[in-house]
């Protein structure tokens, strides 16, 4: 297990280093950042002044090493638009996105795993068809449209839940359903496929022959093995939720880190964009690392790979 952990940590460190280089180079993909910051109608002298002020006149390797050194110390510079340290800005917005992402993945797991298990127990039944219908709708329905429909029904017509804001847990109910439903189809299908495979295995037939209770066979023996790939998928889906929550945050006016990323891109606020890309990527790497370690703990056979 120790060697497995070391290998995974080395791989995670390499991916994190690669991501940091990509996040830095994204600054130059849209062209010269000095021209973008100088604005329309800026003279050549203005552009040169901006380039010198922000250090864009230095060689790229020197810029990257300086940026990486500061980032490792928690310093991502100041926002060009908000005029405050990037760390303070992200620290203010990130809790909203984390709260939304965690509540959404919990909602997706609570909904999808029982549906997947039920569909596997009764294949080709009405329950299986219902689970398939839920998965198809979840894949086909745009998140922004689903969010707007929930607002119309539960906020405008019924007045049960608030349509925007983040002051109360009630504000997160509708966006949690929207974002969580996005991850439900993949988790549900994987749970169903895993359960179908496990329920046909020899050790399950042996357990039935020994007279074990069906509920013990289902939850103690079958589900534990079937859920192993679901752990990794749930971690990946949580990473996608955190990085891709901009649409949901925009619809429900949550003003978290996802919406901050959209604002920063539209305003050419490069330090904030770089920091958010790096942060979301590192969270994604950490989640996949934790998923690998948890899977290795659940299934010792994975430690030899």
């Amino acid at each position: 297990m120790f060697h497995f952990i070391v290998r995974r940590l080395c791989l995670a460190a390499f991916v994190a280093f690669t991501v940091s280089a990509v996040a830095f180079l994204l600054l130059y993909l849209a062209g010269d950042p000095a021209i973008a910051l100088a604005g329309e109608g800026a003279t050549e002298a203005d552009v040169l002044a901006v380039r010198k002020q922000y250090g864009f006149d230095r060689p790229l390797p020197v810029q990257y090493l300086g940026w990486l050194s500061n980032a490792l110390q928690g310093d991502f510079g100041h926002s060009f638009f908000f005029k405050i340290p990037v760390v303070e800005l992200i620290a203010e917005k990130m809790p909203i996105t984390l709260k939304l992402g965690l509540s959404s993945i919990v909602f997706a797991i609570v909904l999808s795993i029982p549906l997947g298990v039920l569909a596997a127990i009764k294949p080709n039944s009405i329950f299986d068809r219902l689970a398939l219908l839920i998965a198809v709708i979840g894949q086909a329905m745009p998140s922004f449209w689903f969010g707007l429909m929930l607002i119309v029904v539960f906020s405008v017509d019924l007045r049960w839940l608030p349509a925007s804001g983040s002051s109360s847990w009630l504000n997160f109910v509708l966006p949690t359903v929207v974002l969580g439903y996005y991850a439900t189809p993949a988790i549900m299908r994987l749970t169903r496929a895993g359960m179908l495979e496990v329920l046909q295995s020899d050790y399950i037939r042996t357990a039935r022959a020994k007279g074990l209770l069906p509920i013990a066979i289902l939850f103690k023996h079958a589900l534990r093995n079937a859920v192993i790939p679901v752990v990794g998928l749930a971690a990946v889906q949580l990473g996608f939720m955190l990085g891709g929550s901009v649409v949901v945050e925009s619809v429900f006016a949550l003003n978290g880190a996802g919406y901050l990323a959209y604002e920063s891109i539209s305003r050419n606020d490069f330090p904030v964009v770089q920091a958010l890309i790096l942060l979301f990527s590192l969270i994604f790497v950490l989640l996949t690392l934790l998923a690998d370690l948890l899977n290795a703990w659940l299934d010792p056979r994975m430690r030899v790979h």
Side-chain angles (χ1 to χ4, degrees):
M1 185 66 178
F2 174 76
H3 295 291
F4 177 83
I5 295 176
V6 171
R7 291 198 304 269
R8 287 298 186 268
L9 287 175
C10 292
L11 179 61
F14 173 75
V15 173
F17 176 78
T18 304
V19 166
S20 69
V22 173
F24 173 78
L25 291 175
L26 286 176
L27 179 67
Y28 292 91
L29 288 182
D32 191 339
I35 297 177
L37 288 174
E40 296 182 6
T43 64
E44 183 66 25
D46 295 332
V47 174
L48 290 176
V50 170
R51 186 175 290 117
K52 184 176 181 179
Q53 177 183 355
Y54 292 101
F56 296 142
D57 55 341
R58 297 176 298 168
L60 274 180
V62 176
Q63 292 186 51
Y64 169 68
L65 292 177
W67 176 80
L68 182 61
S69 176
N70 292 333
L72 292 175
Q73 301 176 52
D75 180 12
F76 292 94
H78 283 66
S79 167
F80 294 159
F81 181 81
F82 295 99
K83 308 300 181 183
I84 62 174
V86 174
V87 173
E88 294 182 10
L89 186 60
I90 294 179
E92 178 186 350
K93 307 292 185 181
M94 184 56 72
I96 297 176
T97 299
L98 289 176
K99 188 184 299 184
L100 175 60
L102 291 174
S103 60
S104 299
I105 196 64
V106 170
F107 172 82
I109 291 174
V110 170
L111 176 62
S112 58
I113 290 183
L115 282 175
V117 171
L118 190 60
I121 295 174
K122 300 180 180 297
N124 300 319
S125 65
I126 184 64
F127 301 105
D128 192 12
R129 300 304 179 188
L130 177 61
L132 177 62
L133 177 63
I134 292 175
V136 171
I137 293 176
Q139 284 185 319
M141 186 166 49
S143 297
F144 72 90
W145 183 87
F146 187 32
L148 292 175
M149 291 302 100
L150 291 183
I151 290 175
V152 170
V153 174
F154 293 100
S155 299
V156 178
D157 294 339
L158 299 178
R159 300 183 181 276
W160 288 355
L161 296 168
S164 62
S166 57
S167 57
S168 167
W169 67 270
L170 291 173
N171 295 97
F172 288 88
V173 173
L174 295 182
T176 293
V177 172
V178 174
L179 196 59
Y181 193 31
Y182 165 79
T184 295
I187 298 177
M188 189 274 294
R189 287 200 309 269
L190 190 60
T191 302
R192 179 185 181 276
M195 285 295 295
L196 285 174
E197 181 179 356
V198 170
L199 289 174
Q200 297 174 1
S201 59
D202 293 336
Y203 73 90
I204 294 295
R205 285 193 288 266
T206 302
R208 288 171 178 162
K210 289 181 177 180
L212 295 181
L213 294 176
I215 192 170
I217 296 174
L218 180 63
F219 290 101
K220 186 177 180 179
H221 299 282
L223 185 58
R224 177 175 179 176
N225 291 290
V227 82
I228 290 176
V230 176
V231 173
L233 178 61
V236 172
Q237 290 292 340
L238 177 57
F240 282 141
M241 288 177 177
L242 295 176
S245 61
V246 56
V247 174
V248 176
E249 290 184 11
S250 301
V251 170
F252 293 95
L254 287 179
N255 198 20
Y259 187 68
L260 175 63
Y262 167 75
E263 286 184 312
S264 302
I265 292 172
S266 61
R267 293 166 175 165
N268 293 325
D269 201 344
F270 301 119
V272 179
V273 175
Q274 287 178 318
L276 286 173
I277 291 174
L278 181 61
L279 179 60
F280 283 134
S281 301
L282 291 180
I283 291 176
F284 190 86
V285 171
L286 179 61
L287 289 173
T288 53
L289 173 63
L290 293 176
D292 286 342
L293 297 180
L294 183 56
N295 282 336
W297 177 73
L298 291 173
D299 188 359
R301 294 172 297 178
M302 298 185 61
R303 303 173 192 171
V304 300
H305 297 298

